Amino acid sequence: MTGPIRVATLFTHRRPEETGPAIARLLLVARRSGAVLRLDAEEMRKHKLTPTPGLELTALSDSGVDICFALGGDGTILHALRTYAGTGVPVFAVNYGEIGFLATVEREDAEKGFERAFAGDYEVLALPAIEVTCGGGRWLAINDVSMHRQPGKRVADLAYAVGKDEIGRVRCDGLVVATPAGSTGYNLANGGPVMAWGVAGIVVSFIAPHSLAARALVVAPTDVLSVLNRSQEEEVDVAVDGRPVCTLPPDKELTVRFVNGQGSLAQLTGTTFYQRLRVKFGRLATAP
Amino acid sequence: MTGPIRVATLFTHRRPEETGPAIARLLLVARRSGAVLRLDAEEMRKHKLTPTPGLELTALSDSGVDICFALGGDGTILHALRTYAGTGVPVFAVNYGEIGFLATVEREDAEKGFERAFAGDYEVLALPAIEVTCGGGRWLAINDVSMHRQPGKRVADLAYAVGKDEIGRVRCDGLVVATPAGSTGYNLANGGPVMAWGVAGIVVSFIAPHSLAARALVVAPTDVLSVLNRSQEEEVDVAVDGRPVCTLPPDKELTVRFVNGQGSLAQLTGTTFYQRLRVKFGRLATAP
Amino acid sequence: MTGPIRVATLFTHRRPEETGPAIARLLLVARRSGAVLRLDAEEMRKHKLTPTPGLELTALSDSGVDICFALGGDGTILHALRTYAGTGVPVFAVNYGEIGFLATVEREDAEKGFERAFAGDYEVLALPAIEVTCGGGRWLAINDVSMHRQPGKRVADLAYAVGKDEIGRVRCDGLVVATPAGSTGYNLANGGPVMAWGVAGIVVSFIAPHSLAARALVVAPTDVLSVLNRSQEEEVDVAVDGRPVCTLPPDKELTVRFVNGQGSLAQLTGTTFYQRLRVKFGRLATAP
Amino acid sequence: MTGPIRVATLFTHRRPEETGPAIARLLLVARRSGAVLRLDAEEMRKHKLTPTPGLELTALSDSGVDICFALGGDGTILHALRTYAGTGVPVFAVNYGEIGFLATVEREDAEKGFERAFAGDYEVLALPAIEVTCGGGRWLAINDVSMHRQPGKRVADLAYAVGKDEIGRVRCDGLVVATPAGSTGYNLANGGPVMAWGVAGIVVSFIAPHSLAARALVVAPTDVLSVLNRSQEEEVDVAVDGRPVCTLPPDKELTVRFVNGQGSLAQLTGTTFYQRLRVKFGRLATAP
């Protein structure tokens, strides 16, 4: 941590009754530190707040922001990380969701967490992102980009390639490309490996492949991955961190590439990926 | 490729009748280029050769060596890579084995390959290694380090940890830690992912874990991995690139760490990992 | 085969231009044998046919039917098997689809197949079915019953139990229960085992389970399986042999049970499940 | 249970100090019921016992035996089940091992268990076996038959077939064929499915197959399975329920077949396979 926090921003999840008390505490802690808390219009409305000294309405531009607090599940935290991607603004997350793998503090420890944050007692972990280019669009994913067959339509027919080499092609429900941070998400459901934060690579796995052989592939950070919709008829939906962003028409492709150092995740000093893995998932293998 | 080849060394596999004709060709190509070929005593004996102009007997010190040819399967190629680990001497490999994932030329193209090698028409790929420390010993693996229960003994009880965090523990036949180059070997047999050359990380998987859940873990290049023998009674055998090196007694641990840029693998210009994957394994996933 | 074929019925898939020529052949072969071919109104319309001697319009009641021909992919064949479930009318299938695991003849051998059918040169394999009870409804599946989260909705939260014992519960895309005949379908995409025809049991697997451990379970033929929608909010879609039949509301359950001897599949004399497996899927495990 | 117990036999595992107290209780309970307990010479010696009224030395012929008690882990229980295979003598097992999937009572409830046994308060579950024929030999497995490469030798090259159809062939550490009772053992370590007791079928899986695709296959009870050693040079070891019985030379095969109703497992009234699965393994799939 470089300097004192003067300006903090905030994102919360969709159930304000759960996070309201913590916001009151956050305001108190911020005021004691002489900092201001900035909320956008949606957050103000959601929590029925109005600007007061120490609480400002903002358009969430990142200029002058020292830290962003995220109170929610992984969806809220990922939204904060994407919002500040590439800016260096650290995201300090409190878990109000089910797993909250990216959160550094559980909800019952929220206040203590705020105090440690304002005391500068945290480290910042740089997270890579996945850049997706599809049609004219471009998106950044902190966790994963996924393609999925459309409801009521036939099974998808997807292939992926690096350069000219088509590596896998199969009829399936879809395909997921995940960062290390995202490897404990949808990738896990497809039999993909857990990747520790710090691994340089992204992992590709098919969702429900109609195949005897469907091994996950970890692609190198310099490789550019193409995903091709081989179907003659059916579009597939494309989602970034689980939110739909576009569709991939038949016979078209999108490209995916590893981009280093996009997200800035605040972590209480001394915590590690492996601790978190133990707490959230238990052991990776364990005797019955 | 930096300069012309003046001195080349050679390793071949255990069936000299298969590689003999290629050695004759290699000698011719080397002579035409004004280079000498150095063999150690064992290779000389195996092929019933004696020193002649252009063919020298050597103790295989790496001083002054410009390139090493390996004619064999992955065992022979790995031996060459370990021999020259950290020296920058490139290993140019011709496949005389079954898979030969590390070879850049198939046996029927050996002569053409030698000519391209002496013409400098190759690239050098730096391969990471795994450093294993066990008891007082220290070894370098290019592909993988594996632990295996001893024949006739009870099932192994192994755990692994990063720092203080024990991540997996299970009764099993053994455990494998593989580099990207080794990920298509024993790791694959344990359900581990394929990792492209260029991924910075090593992958841990259990062999036949007595467990419902046994997911592979890709560890970051800066992490130090401990493997612990949790058995009260049984030793486990430790092998580096498939060759036994030591045993791990009950209640003892060994450490494993990623070391960058140890092996130097020569590759014909323009070849890629992904081409090789297609040629050697076919598609990773494919419709029936 | 017991007696001569007097009455045959027919189902074809949705592309009449592909199956039209074969129908003409089938009519000829049937006439030569003194048999009549019965089509329902939809098949008549699809192929632009009108009743003529030897070709009758029917409501497809099974009374007096000796055999049913199915020309199509697995969807068409399953429809025929369900239509005649429990009646003993054998379904003789010609593959006009992609895999056609249930077909006994490929399209290029259709005519020869018809001749062997009318000559009685086939065996009848009894296939078990899965009986699904959900809400007031009851359905029969020859291949599988699947539950799937609804498009745009949150991930499903499904559990399954036998009697009072809840055996698995996980957030997932869905769940599949398959017969041996269906084990090479959606079940395979979930990591489930292949089950030979003749195994007495049904196999349960989750689709994309958010879990480290998700092993398939083969349930005994006498067990009654309950699948429970544990979500507080979201319905899941229920499909029988891939066709939607109903939805399962939050906090409700459906039951699934094995029913023996429902489908009657005609097979050319001497063919086996294992031949078919080899032809359609290749080897289950094979060296690279 | 048909009639009162007049004669009981006993097997215990290799640590007599653990089971000694329970044997004293068993003797008391047997005496109160007017029954005799028969031990063979090895059990007598192991527990330093001599014949007394109610405690007889026996050669363990099964004539006149009403029940067999097994105090130990799965190894001891399987030994008892094999000893009385096909005789109908029920095996009542108390768990002194780690998992004890086949035991109906835990060690702390041993005495209560004995009382319920002598009161006839148990059910008998018929377990199928696997018959292995290899060379001139023939063996019966209650759990599984496994083939394993020999220590220090090259990787195995195994294939399996039903009739003429070779279904899988791969270089591997070995292969396991398991009954439903054995499906939660070594089969589980190979990614095979759990099979409930009552499923009619046996499951084949490779140990550490060097292959992208290695799916388990459940074979029908009427199928005869051949396993072939495809290696040119190396024997493989064959084990029945984990104990070595013979070797399979290069280019030879062994056959495996399902045999119904061989083992008779006593279970406290009202217990089920699914309860046991929950207690011993937890849920098959579970959210993190």
Side-chain angles (χ1 to χ4, degrees):
Chain A
M1 233 288 292
T2 50
I5 296 173
R6 301 259 175 243
V7 177
T9 57
L10 175 70
F11 290 108
T12 63
H13 70 12
R14 57 183 177 129
R15 294 185 298 276
E17 67 281 11
E18 294 183 9
T19 55
I23 295 181
R25 304 263 175 229
L26 177 56
L27 253 173
L28 281 175
V29 177
R31 272 182 196 137
R32 275 207 300 268
S33 302
V36 299
L37 189 62
R38 290 191 189 152
L39 274 66
D40 68 6
E42 193 193 324
E43 290 288 341
M44 284 286 194
R45 194 167 40 234
K46 195 162 58 178
H47 294 285
K48 302 193 175 103
L49 292 170
T50 48
T52 58
L55 179 64
E56 302 179 0
L57 178 64
T58 178
L60 272 188
S61 131
D62 51 281
S63 74
V65 176
D66 298 309
I67 196 169
C68 169
F69 290 93
L71 278 54
D74 284 333
T76 306
I77 305 170
L78 290 167
H79 175 65
L81 285 165
R82 282 193 310 269
T83 300
Y84 289 106
T87 68
V89 173
V91 171
F92 188 103
V94 184
N95 182 26
Y96 282 83
E98 289 184 37
I99 302 193
F101 202 85
L102 293 164
T104 196
V105 169
E106 294 300 309
R107 56 200 298 175
E108 54 274 20
D109 300 320
E111 186 165 7
K112 231 177 289 176
F114 298 147
E115 281 163 0
R116 292 184 66 178
F118 278 92
D121 183 15
Y122 64 90
E123 300 162 335
V124 177
L125 180 75
L127 292 179
I130 290 171
E131 185 196 76
V132 189
T133 316
C134 179
R138 183 190 160 279
W139 295 268
L140 219 54
I142 297 292
N143 253 8
D144 54 33
V145 52
S146 59
M147 277 125 272
H148 213 277
R149 68 170 165 141
Q150 294 184 328
K153 298 295 177 57
R154 303 174 63 127
V155 75
D157 181 356
L158 295 177
Y160 68 92
V162 176
K164 288 179 215 153
D165 297 295
E166 188 172 291
I167 299 155
R169 176 181 174 183
V170 73
R171 295 184 305 126
C172 56
D173 278 2
L175 179 149
V176 173
V177 187
T179 62
S183 70
T184 46
Y186 210 154
N187 163 71
L188 209 64
N190 303 330
V194 175
M195 297 200 299
W197 298 353
V199 171
I202 52 180
V203 58
V204 195
S205 59
F206 284 104
I207 308 167
H210 289 221
S211 170
L212 287 169
R215 199 59 64 98
L217 173 71
V218 185
V219 171
T222 51
D223 293 327
V224 178
L225 191 74
S226 314
V227 183
L228 304 94
N229 182 353
R230 289 284 193 206
S231 170
Q232 302 299 315
E233 307 175 25
E234 312 287 10
E235 292 186 329
V236 293
D237 291 325
V238 181
V240 157
D241 291 341
R243 300 171 326 141
V245 296
C246 68
T247 58
L248 182 66
D251 217 29
K252 295 291 178 192
E253 69 182 75
L254 57 78
T255 60
V256 164
R257 92 185 62 213
F258 180 91
V259 196
N260 227 334
Q262 292 300 297
S264 296
L265 189 68
Q267 301 216 85
L268 291 184
T269 306
T271 55
T272 72
F273 165 77
Y274 297 100
Q275 280 172 2
R276 203 164 294 198
L277 190 64
R278 277 297 305 274
V279 171
K280 302 288 183 182
F281 282 84
R283 285 201 183 81
L284 287 194
T286 167
Chain B
M1 234 289 292
T2 52
I5 296 172
R6 300 265 175 239
V7 177
T9 56
L10 175 71
F11 289 108
T12 64
H13 70 11
R14 59 183 177 130
R15 293 185 297 277
E17 66 281 11
E18 293 183 10
T19 55
I23 296 181
R25 305 264 175 229
L26 176 56
L27 253 173
L28 281 174
V29 176
R31 273 182 196 137
R32 274 205 304 267
S33 302
V36 299
L37 190 62
R38 288 191 190 152
L39 274 66
D40 68 5
E42 193 194 324
E43 290 288 340
M44 283 287 192
R45 198 169 37 237
K46 194 161 59 178
H47 294 283
K48 302 190 176 106
L49 293 170
T50 48
T52 58
L55 178 64
E56 300 179 1
L57 178 65
T58 177
L60 273 187
S61 130
D62 52 279
S63 74
V65 177
D66 298 308
I67 196 168
C68 169
F69 290 93
L71 279 57
D74 284 332
T76 306
I77 305 171
L78 291 167
H79 176 65
L81 285 165
R82 281 192 310 268
T83 300
Y84 290 106
T87 67
V89 173
V91 171
F92 188 102
V94 183
N95 180 27
Y96 282 83
E98 288 184 37
I99 302 192
F101 202 86
L102 292 164
T104 196
V105 169
E106 294 300 309
R107 58 200 297 175
E108 53 274 19
D109 300 319
E111 187 166 6
K112 232 179 285 177
F114 299 146
E115 282 163 357
R116 292 184 65 179
F118 279 91
D121 183 14
Y122 63 90
E123 299 163 334
V124 176
L125 180 73
L127 293 178
I130 290 171
E131 186 195 75
V132 188
T133 315
C134 178
R138 183 189 160 277
W139 295 269
L140 219 55
I142 296 293
N143 253 8
D144 53 34
V145 53
S146 58
M147 277 125 274
H148 212 276
R149 68 169 164 143
Q150 295 186 328
K153 299 294 176 58
R154 302 175 63 129
V155 77
D157 180 356
L158 296 176
Y160 67 93
V162 177
K164 288 179 217 151
D165 298 296
E166 188 173 289
I167 300 155
R169 176 181 172 181
V170 73
R171 293 183 307 127
C172 57
D173 278 1
L175 178 150
V176 173
V177 187
T179 61
S183 71
T184 48
Y186 209 156
N187 163 72
L188 208 64
N190 304 330
V194 175
M195 298 200 298
W197 298 353
V199 172
I202 52 179
V203 60
V204 195
S205 59
F206 283 103
I207 308 166
H210 290 223
S211 170
L212 287 167
R215 199 59 65 99
L217 172 71
V218 185
V219 170
T222 51
D223 294 327
V224 178
L225 191 75
S226 313
V227 183
L228 304 95
N229 183 354
R230 289 283 193 208
S231 170
Q232 302 299 315
E233 307 176 24
E234 313 287 10
E235 293 186 329
V236 294
D237 292 325
V238 181
V240 156
D241 291 343
R243 299 172 327 141
V245 296
C246 67
T247 58
L248 182 66
D251 217 29
K252 294 292 178 191
E253 68 182 76
L254 57 77
T255 59
V256 164
R257 89 186 63 214
F258 180 92
V259 196
N260 226 337
Q262 291 301 295
S264 296
L265 189 69
Q267 301 216 86
L268 291 184
T269 306
T271 56
T272 72
F273 165 77
Y274 297 100
Q275 278 171 4
R276 205 163 293 197
L277 191 64
R278 277 299 303 273
V279 170
K280 301 288 182 181
F281 282 85
R283 284 199 183 82
L284 286 194
T286 165
Chain C
M1 233 289 290
T2 49
I5 297 172
R6 299 263 174 241
V7 177
T9 57
L10 176 71
F11 290 108
T12 64
H13 70 11
R14 59 185 177 127
R15 294 185 297 279
E17 65 281 10
E18 294 182 9
T19 53
I23 295 181
R25 305 264 175 228
L26 177 56
L27 253 173
L28 281 175
V29 176
R31 271 181 196 138
R32 274 206 303 268
S33 301
V36 299
L37 189 62
R38 290 191 188 151
L39 273 66
D40 68 7
E42 194 193 325
E43 289 288 339
M44 284 286 195
R45 194 166 44 236
K46 192 162 60 177
H47 293 284
K48 300 189 176 109
L49 292 170
T50 47
T52 58
L55 178 64
E56 301 179 0
L57 178 66
T58 177
L60 273 186
S61 131
D62 52 279
S63 75
V65 176
D66 298 309
I67 196 168
C68 169
F69 290 93
L71 279 54
D74 284 333
T76 307
I77 305 170
L78 290 167
H79 175 65
L81 285 165
R82 282 193 309 270
T83 301
Y84 289 106
T87 67
V89 174
V91 171
F92 189 102
V94 183
N95 181 28
Y96 281 83
E98 290 184 37
I99 302 192
F101 202 86
L102 292 165
T104 197
V105 168
E106 294 300 308
R107 57 200 296 175
E108 54 274 17
D109 300 320
E111 186 167 5
K112 230 178 288 176
F114 298 146
E115 280 161 0
R116 292 183 66 179
F118 279 91
D121 184 14
Y122 64 89
E123 298 162 335
V124 177
L125 181 73
L127 293 178
I130 289 172
E131 185 196 75
V132 188
T133 316
C134 179
R138 183 190 161 278
W139 295 270
L140 219 54
I142 296 292
N143 252 7
D144 53 33
V145 53
S146 57
M147 277 124 273
H148 213 277
R149 68 170 165 141
Q150 293 185 329
K153 299 295 177 58
R154 305 176 61 132
V155 76
D157 181 356
L158 296 177
Y160 67 91
V162 176
K164 287 178 216 153
D165 298 295
E166 188 172 289
I167 299 156
R169 177 182 173 181
V170 73
R171 293 183 307 126
C172 56
D173 279 1
L175 179 150
V176 173
V177 188
T179 61
S183 71
T184 48
Y186 210 155
N187 163 70
L188 209 63
N190 303 330
V194 175
M195 298 201 297
W197 299 352
V199 171
I202 53 180
V203 59
V204 194
S205 59
F206 283 104
I207 308 168
H210 290 222
S211 170
L212 287 168
R215 200 60 64 98
L217 173 70
V218 185
V219 171
T222 51
D223 294 327
V224 178
L225 191 74
S226 312
V227 183
L228 304 94
N229 183 353
R230 288 286 193 204
S231 169
Q232 302 299 317
E233 307 176 25
E234 314 287 11
E235 292 186 330
V236 293
D237 291 325
V238 181
V240 157
D241 291 343
R243 301 172 326 143
V245 296
C246 67
T247 59
L248 182 66
D251 218 28
K252 294 293 178 191
E253 69 182 76
L254 57 76
T255 59
V256 164
R257 89 186 62 212
F258 179 92
V259 195
N260 226 335
Q262 292 300 295
S264 297
L265 189 69
Q267 302 215 84
L268 290 184
T269 306
T271 57
T272 71
F273 165 77
Y274 297 100
Q275 280 172 4
R276 204 164 292 198
L277 191 64
R278 278 296 305 274
V279 170
K280 301 288 182 181
F281 281 84
R283 283 199 185 83
L284 287 195
T286 165
Chain D
M1 235 288 291
T2 50
I5 297 173
R6 301 264 175 239
V7 177
T9 58
L10 174 71
F11 290 109
T12 64
H13 70 12
R14 58 184 176 129
R15 294 186 296 278
E17 67 280 12
E18 294 184 9
T19 54
I23 295 181
R25 305 263 177 229
L26 178 55
L27 254 172
L28 281 175
V29 177
R31 272 182 196 138
R32 275 206 300 268
S33 303
V36 299
L37 188 62
R38 289 190 189 155
L39 273 66
D40 68 6
E42 193 193 325
E43 289 288 340
M44 283 286 192
R45 196 168 39 237
K46 194 162 58 178
H47 294 283
K48 302 191 176 105
L49 292 170
T50 48
T52 58
L55 178 65
E56 302 179 359
L57 177 66
T58 177
L60 272 185
S61 131
D62 51 280
S63 75
V65 177
D66 297 309
I67 196 168
C68 170
F69 290 92
L71 278 54
D74 284 333
T76 306
I77 305 170
L78 290 167
H79 175 65
L81 285 165
R82 282 193 309 270
T83 301
Y84 290 106
T87 68
V89 173
V91 171
F92 188 103
V94 183
N95 181 27
Y96 281 83
E98 290 184 37
I99 303 193
F101 202 85
L102 292 165
T104 196
V105 169
E106 294 300 310
R107 56 201 297 174
E108 54 273 20
D109 301 320
E111 186 166 5
K112 230 179 289 177
F114 299 146
E115 281 163 0
R116 292 184 66 179
F118 280 90
D121 183 14
Y122 63 90
E123 300 162 334
V124 177
L125 180 74
L127 293 177
I130 289 172
E131 184 196 76
V132 189
T133 315
C134 178
R138 183 189 161 277
W139 295 270
L140 219 55
I142 296 292
N143 253 7
D144 52 33
V145 53
S146 58
M147 276 125 274
H148 213 278
R149 67 169 165 142
Q150 293 185 329
K153 299 295 178 57
R154 304 175 61 128
V155 76
D157 181 356
L158 296 178
Y160 67 91
V162 176
K164 289 179 216 153
D165 297 295
E166 188 172 289
I167 298 156
R169 177 183 172 180
V170 75
R171 292 184 307 127
C172 56
D173 278 1
L175 179 150
V176 173
V177 188
T179 61
S183 71
T184 47
Y186 211 154
N187 163 71
L188 210 63
N190 303 330
V194 175
M195 299 200 298
W197 299 352
V199 171
I202 53 180
V203 59
V204 195
S205 58
F206 284 103
I207 308 167
H210 290 222
S211 169
L212 287 168
R215 197 61 65 97
L217 172 71
V218 185
V219 171
T222 51
D223 294 327
V224 179
L225 190 74
S226 312
V227 183
L228 305 94
N229 183 354
R230 289 285 193 205
S231 168
Q232 301 299 316
E233 307 176 25
E234 313 288 10
E235 291 186 331
V236 293
D237 290 325
V238 181
V240 157
D241 291 342
R243 300 172 326 142
V245 295
C246 67
T247 59
L248 183 66
D251 218 29
K252 294 292 177 191
E253 68 182 74
L254 58 76
T255 60
V256 163
R257 89 186 63 213
F258 179 92
V259 195
N260 226 335
Q262 292 300 296
S264 297
L265 189 68
Q267 302 215 84
L268 291 184
T269 305
T271 56
T272 72
F273 165 77
Y274 297 101
Q275 279 172 3
R276 202 164 294 199
L277 190 64
R278 278 297 306 275
V279 170
K280 301 288 182 181
F281 282 84
R283 284 199 184 83
L284 287 194
T286 165

